Amino acid sequence: MSAPLLQARGLEIRFGGVVAADGVDLDVIEGENLAIIGPNGAGKTTFLNISTGYLKPLAGTVTFLGQDITRLPPRAITRLGIARAFQIPQLFLEQTVMENMMIAAAARSGETSGWRRLLDRPEREEMLRLLDSVGVAAFAERRAHELPEGQRKLVDIALALALKPRLLLMDEPTSGVASSEKMGVMDILVAALAREKVSSVFVEHDMDMVERYAHRVAVWSSGRIQTVGPPAQVLGDPEVRQRVIGI
Amino acid sequence: MQAPAQTSGSGLRLAIVLGLVALAAIVPILLPSWATLITLVAAKGVVVLGVIILLQAGQVSFGHAMYFAVGAYAVAFWGRHMGPGDLILYLLLGSAAATLFGAVIGLFVVRYREIFFGMLNLAFSMVLWSLLEKLYHYTNGADGIRVVRPTIAGIAFQPETFQYALLYVTLVIAVVASYVAQRYLDSPLGHMLRAIKSNETRLEYLGVSARRVLLIGYVLSAFLCGLGGALVAVAQQIATPEFGYWTKSGEFVFIAILGGSSSALGAFAGSAVFEIVRFYAAAKLANTWQLILGVVLIAIIMFAPNGLVGILNRNRRNAEARR
Amino acid sequence: MDSTIFILALLDGVSYAALVFLVSVGLSLIFSVLRIVNVAHGSLYAYGAYVAATLSLAVAPISPWLTFPALLVASVAVGVVVGGVMERFLLRPVYGREDVLQLLITFAVFMIMDNLQRLIWGVQPIFASTPLKLLPNVSVLGVSYTSYQVILLPAVALLTVLGLRYFLRHTLAGAVILAVTEDREAATAIGVDARRVFLVTFMIGASLAALGGALASPTTSLVPGMGADMIVLSFAVAATAGLGQIEGAAVTALMIGIARAFVIYLQPEFEVLVPYLIMVLVLLIRPMGLFGVDKVRKI
Ligand SMILES: Nc1ncnc2c1ncn2[C@@H]1O[C@H](COP(=O)(O)OP(=O)(O)O)[C@@H](O)[C@H]1O
Ligand SMILES: [Mg+2]
């Protein structure tokens, strides 16, 4: 195993009386898919918020590729190579899906000024292929607000992938996606990640998904990490099964 | 403004625009009293274009009359201190002054959104307005500063011909400004500007600085307001503090919504209806024109939320559906 | 500056602050519940003043003391009738539409009210100072001042602060309003009738603006444009305080009122500038206002 890509140390954050991160230490290793599991309100989304600079922790640090990113804003962290897909899809609802994607492409290229029309940029084909790979190419010309929730979720992931990140953080990527399609989506996603050599962290409630796609699992509970380890071992632990999965 | 319309739509749109411009150019030859009126329509349309750009980002400035006033006063101060100048110089001065102002104030206000954005703009504009009103020694206070008729490209016109020359210059500027604004909104920056309205968080998570995007839009809008302000000052031969009062800012937002804030055409359609209603109402119903405009505005919002251009599009769609 | 002028400026500032507070707290209340900036708020202030003056001039010949109830009647009448009509028939149809449309509706109402005001009351200044003259002067640290301005106005403002606090924190209706302010969806989900809350809140806010105008009417001449000036001033106070902050609005009004009064004595031409400069400075340092709180959007 190589050096950690992302490293969180001693993260702490509180909202009023709620402790959402209470000494969180976690490494994300280059090339892995790390699953985060845990009950609602455990602090999983909060961890992603801190790692991407949306929230500033009261204590602790996050380093990415050896650089301290704790105090950087989301846009700076994004430019360093961390992309994020959200629990609640974050799209430009009034624009078409293709326009959404092309904005991401323009942002990635850094060439955000200039006279050329957005839709005349050369990345159009690539973005269409990307949409196709997550199964939403048919919606390319529709405005994002017209899409059903599940499809929005997929576009949201495609937006993150369009940035060609080193690390992709996904917050419940398949919630909202019809259960019959979950497996197909994850298959494609994980294959794409491997092909593009993108590491990933994904929050997931479906233990079948975790077992199938994660290299390691971190178990969250009340702002703390209880266990980290390979899925077979962690999911087999009776205490985890009882307290986190509820069976 | 819409994503580039599909081929048939854009051809039709071009035809409509050309028709309207031709109409605006020809009507005053038959009706001389309309020359200045149409100049004002086109000049204010340029200002409203600036307001529409900010509306694309979901931001309503209740202070943009300040850039309108800056453009007008830049011209007036030049005339007062340096003697009569040329229209081209005036337009450069007015738009450059407003751009500079916009860049400085923009640095502050683009950190804010929605109501705070609107109010900070309002506050800055009220500061400017009170200075114009109170620094009597420099500004003549509420009386304003007269603007002497400039030459145009070095040629001194008689009053009767001047109003036509000014009209045609203004029409050309309006067409060019609309094209530039539309191209800007179709560009990556323009799309990112609209993205601020629907989801600034995602924009930041794409690695884009929303503040920078908004600042560029803001400065462009200040530029357009200043350009329009310089034109209006020349057309009306005066600049007064009232140019920068908050009700004037409200008027520009009003015109944007009246015409339809989703297209450049809307800026001019709104401006035309507004100025013509005001022109006739002020003559015939001097005491109630403001009331009438208020009622019109409410009716538009209630029954035609996409403005006059929206009504036009709806009729066209209905007509196509019948066919 | 000598001490007399100092005290005069202070008293001017306090009495003016009381009026501005009444108007801006109404604006702030409406904003925090309905999420609408009421551009016509200044017009409600002006109508409160004009109706109060008209009523006082009518009742003064019967008994000058009747002018006091006249001020109160005028404010409630304007607040309930004009405010009620505005909310029910103009704003209610546009809830849920784009913010700019809601804002412009109130701008249209401003235009209409401004015009009607000229038609009804003309453009000549109107004076109705009976209530001011009825109450004796008082001496404050050797400076004589009308008790109407230094006692009655601040007392009404203070009562309003306490009254609003009590109403919002200790009555059921107040709790319902707060619930809608906190989380409209959740409140509606547990059966709160948001539409009634909006109507009542708007009437209360409008009445406060009208009350400010009614109480101002004896102290100043009524002229066209008074509403247009007041709305921006009350915006400035409400935004500087932090929208939705009652006590904050009082403190801010006092700060701005006193600063303005001093500038009038020192450098009168910069009077109008003061509130906006304070607002700009405060918002640049604390974007949510002096007493406002920041919220993070959940993603
Ligand atoms: N911005 C915020 N403000 C207040 N409370 C928050 C905020 N973000 C998260 N919380 C609280 O922190 C806890 C953890 O939330 P979250 O990280 O979203 O949990 P999870 O994603 O594991 O379900 C919850 O109790 C939540 O209500
Ligand atoms: Mg979560």
Side-chain angles (χ1 to χ4, degrees):
Chain A
M1 275 192 195
S2 43
L5 192 59
L6 185 87
Q7 195 169 47
R9 285 294 174 270
L11 297 181
E12 274 176 39
I13 199 165
R14 259 186 300 266
F15 303 105
V18 181
V19 183
D22 184 10
V24 170
D25 297 328
L26 186 66
D27 287 350
V28 180
I29 296 156
E30 178 102 58
E32 76 170 337
N33 298 324
L34 173 70
I36 294 182
I37 62 174
N40 275 327
K44 306 180 296 295
T45 300
T46 300
F47 172 70
L48 300 189
N49 282 340
I50 296 175
S51 306
T52 53
Y54 189 73
L55 295 174
K56 309 293 173 213
L58 297 172
T61 54
V62 184
T63 49
F64 179 63
L65 294 169
Q67 180 183 350
D68 185 348
I69 60 168
T70 324
R71 305 276 142 196
L72 295 182
R75 65 169 171 281
I77 294 175
T78 304
R79 286 195 208 119
L80 289 176
I82 302 182
R84 176 170 179 189
F86 296 84
Q87 185 171 352
I88 309 160
Q90 304 288 325
L91 306 181
F92 308 125
L93 290 176
E94 295 178 12
Q95 279 149 297
T96 66
V97 170
M98 183 48 93
E99 284 167 347
N100 273 263
M101 295 298 289
M102 291 301 289
I103 290 175
R108 177 185 72 192
S109 79
E111 187 213 320
T112 54
S113 46
W115 189 239
R116 183 159 48 175
R117 291 191 171 92
L118 180 77
L119 294 178
D120 291 345
R121 293 181 61 88
E123 298 96 338
R124 238 186 124 132
E125 279 303 309
E126 179 199 343
M127 293 301 127
L128 198 59
R129 276 200 306 277
L130 192 47
L131 287 175
D132 192 38
S133 74
V134 293
V136 287
F139 295 98
E141 300 308 323
R142 302 274 287 278
R143 286 181 201 277
H145 69 79
E146 298 169 21
L147 268 56
E149 180 71 12
Q151 265 65 32
R152 285 190 201 184
K153 200 90 194 183
L154 297 172
V155 175
D156 191 65
I157 295 171
L159 275 179
L161 281 173
L163 296 176
K164 297 202 166 160
R166 287 285 293 270
L167 173 62
L168 177 61
L169 310 178
M170 293 180 282
D171 205 345
E172 308 191 10
T174 59
S175 72
V177 176
S179 54
S180 58
E181 291 166 18
K182 272 190 185 183
M183 204 80 91
V185 168
M186 281 302 279
D187 275 340
I188 293 165
L189 215 55
V190 168
L193 294 176
R195 192 174 56 238
E196 306 281 335
K197 301 196 169 47
V198 182
S199 316
S200 78
V201 174
F202 65 106
V203 176
E204 185 57 73
H205 286 300
D206 186 331
M207 293 309 135
D208 292 339
M209 297 289 149
V210 173
E211 206 154 4
R212 196 175 159 110
Y213 299 109
H215 299 120
R216 288 195 307 150
V217 187
V219 183
W220 237 261
S221 163
S222 314
R224 293 176 152 274
I225 298 180
Q226 289 213 311
T227 345
V228 189
Q233 177 195 326
V234 171
L235 298 180
D237 181 340
E239 198 185 339
V240 169
R241 294 186 73 84
Q242 194 208 339
R243 287 185 44 188
V244 179
I245 314 168
I247 38 171
Chain B
M1 306 187 186
Q2 309 298 323
Q6 299 314 314
T7 38
S8 73
S10 73
L12 183 63
R13 186 169 297 192
L14 188 67
I16 292 178
V17 170
L18 288 180
L20 286 177
V21 173
L23 203 65
I26 293 166
V27 165
I29 297 176
L30 312 172
L31 285 168
S33 67
W34 278 55
T36 303
L37 181 63
I38 295 182
T39 306
L40 288 177
V41 166
K44 289 200 178 168
V46 173
V47 176
V48 174
L49 218 45
V51 172
I52 284 181
I53 286 180
L54 286 180
L55 286 175
Q56 300 295 310
Q59 308 304 316
V60 187
S61 164
F62 246 66
H64 253 49
M66 94 178 111
Y67 300 114
F68 181 70
V70 166
Y73 270 89
V75 168
F77 281 135
W78 179 276
R80 181 171 164 151
H81 297 290
M82 315 296 282
D86 193 84
L87 183 64
I88 295 170
L89 171 74
Y90 279 7
L91 297 180
L92 287 176
L93 270 177
S95 48
T99 305
L100 199 69
F101 245 74
V104 173
I105 293 180
L107 278 177
F108 293 109
V109 297
V110 298
R111 295 163 52 200
Y112 302 82
R113 297 292 176 272
E114 297 175 358
I115 190 64
F116 288 100
F117 178 86
M119 287 208 187
L120 259 184
N121 274 294
L122 174 69
F124 277 113
S125 79
M126 289 303 289
V127 168
L128 178 74
W129 172 78
S130 26
L131 289 176
L132 292 176
E133 179 109 320
K134 299 294 171 181
L135 295 179
Y136 190 88
H137 187 68
Y138 301 98
T139 64
N140 285 351
D143 296 339
I145 303 177
R146 278 194 57 77
V147 173
V148 182
R149 178 159 27 90
T151 55
I152 299 181
I155 307 165
F157 286 90
Q158 291 306 304
E160 310 81 58
T161 41
F162 178 77
Q163 59 171 353
Y164 288 104
L166 182 63
L167 169 66
Y168 295 134
V169 171
T170 309
L171 286 178
V172 170
I173 289 177
V175 171
V176 173
S178 304
Y179 180 74
V180 170
Q182 184 68 58
R183 279 306 297 260
Y184 162 71
L185 289 169
D186 288 342
S187 79
L189 271 174
H191 276 277
M192 287 170 181
L193 188 78
R194 289 200 270 153
I196 290 178
K197 178 177 181 179
S198 55
N199 202 326
E200 190 168 337
T201 308
R202 173 49 97 183
L203 196 57
E204 291 276 328
Y205 269 101
L206 293 178
V208 176
S209 161
R211 282 185 191 172
R212 175 172 164 271
V213 170
L214 186 56
L215 180 62
I216 293 170
Y218 190 86
V219 172
L220 180 59
S221 95
F223 164 82
L224 291 170
C225 289
L227 187 60
L231 283 168
V232 169
V234 172
Q236 296 190 326
Q237 297 176 10
I238 195 160
T240 69
E242 197 241 339
F243 279 37
Y245 195 54
W246 73 266
T247 52
K248 188 64 99 186
S249 299
E251 201 175 290
F252 292 139
V253 182
F254 172 174
I255 297 174
I257 299 299
L258 173 68
S261 62
S262 62
S263 76
L265 196 55
F268 296 96
S271 178
V273 170
F274 187 91
E275 289 300 324
I276 292 169
V277 168
R278 175 149 78 179
F279 184 70
Y280 278 99
K284 301 217 166 58
L285 308 155
N287 295 326
T288 51
W289 66 267
Q290 208 187 344
L291 195 153
I292 294 171
L293 282 173
V295 174
V296 168
L297 178 55
I298 290 177
I300 288 277
I301 292 175
M302 299 268 181
F303 305 113
N306 297 321
L308 298 170
V309 171
I311 299 178
L312 224 86
N313 288 341
R314 195 162 61 200
N315 286 343
R316 206 175 70 212
R317 269 199 305 277
N318 287 348
E320 275 163 15
R322 272 196 300 275
R323 254 190 283 132
Chain C
M1 99 196 268
D2 71 51
S3 65
T4 312
I5 290 188
F6 183 85
I7 293 166
L8 263 178
L10 213 56
L11 297 180
D12 282 355
V14 170
S15 72
Y16 186 71
L19 296 174
V20 176
F21 162 74
L22 289 173
V23 184
S24 34
V25 81
L27 185 76
S28 212
L29 186 68
I30 290 175
F31 179 83
S32 55
V33 178
L34 287 82
R35 300 277 136 193
I36 287 179
V37 174
N38 178 20
V39 179
H41 207 66
S43 307
L44 292 163
Y45 164 83
Y47 275 53
Y50 272 106
V51 172
T54 309
L55 266 185
S56 329
L57 291 174
V59 299
I62 307 169
S63 157
W65 290 101
L66 282 177
T67 54
F68 283 101
L71 300 185
L72 203 62
V73 169
S75 13
V76 175
V78 168
V80 169
V81 175
V82 183
V85 167
M86 213 179 139
E87 197 284 335
R88 176 64 189 81
F89 296 105
L90 300 178
L91 290 175
R92 190 171 294 181
V94 297
Y95 291 143
R97 301 265 295 276
E98 280 190 55
D99 290 355
V100 55
L101 297 184
Q102 308 187 6
L103 188 77
L104 273 182
I105 286 274
T106 68
F107 181 68
V109 173
F110 159 78
M111 292 175 78
I112 293 169
M113 286 181 76
D114 200 56
N115 198 148
L116 281 178
Q117 177 191 317
R118 282 165 223 258
L119 292 180
I120 300 172
W121 290 288
V123 295
Q124 295 307 317
I126 292 178
F127 299 91
S129 54
T130 314
L132 184 74
K133 289 177 185 148
L134 273 180
L135 299 182
N137 274 17
V138 290
S139 167
V140 182
L141 299 169
V143 177
S144 171
Y145 215 98
T146 63
S147 55
Y148 180 89
Q149 283 170 293
V150 294
I151 296 175
L152 183 72
L153 295 187
V156 173
L158 199 63
L159 274 177
T160 305
V161 173
L162 298 177
L164 277 177
R165 262 187 87 110
Y166 181 81
F167 172 67
L168 290 176
R169 306 221 175 130
H170 299 283
T171 67
L172 184 61
V176 168
I177 290 181
L178 279 187
V180 174
T181 311
E182 275 302 309
D183 190 339
R184 192 182 294 182
E185 280 75 35
T188 316
I190 58 167
V192 170
D193 181 358
R195 297 205 296 182
R196 248 193 69 197
V197 171
F198 286 2
L199 180 63
V200 171
T201 307
F202 200 87
M203 284 182 181
I204 296 176
S207 301
L208 286 169
L211 180 63
L215 291 175
S217 66
T219 68
T220 174
S221 58
L222 310 189
V223 290
M226 64 186 286
D229 288 344
M230 182 48 97
I231 180 61
V232 274
L233 186 61
S234 56
F235 272 157
V237 169
T240 308
L243 288 161
Q245 305 296 319
I246 296 170
E247 294 86 350
V251 175
T252 309
L254 213 52
M255 195 173 85
I256 288 182
I258 292 174
R260 175 180 166 278
F262 275 97
V263 171
I264 291 179
Y265 283 101
L266 296 172
Q267 204 75 54
E269 61 271 33
F270 293 129
E271 167 219 326
V272 231
L273 227 72
V274 174
Y276 310 111
L277 282 183
I278 293 182
M279 169 180 170
V280 166
L281 285 180
V282 167
L283 289 192
L284 290 183
I285 299 164
R286 271 186 71 85
M288 68 301 280
L290 283 176
F291 303 90
V293 278
D294 226 357
K295 270 194 182 164
V296 185
R297 190 170 79 97
K298 279 210 176 173
I299 53 175

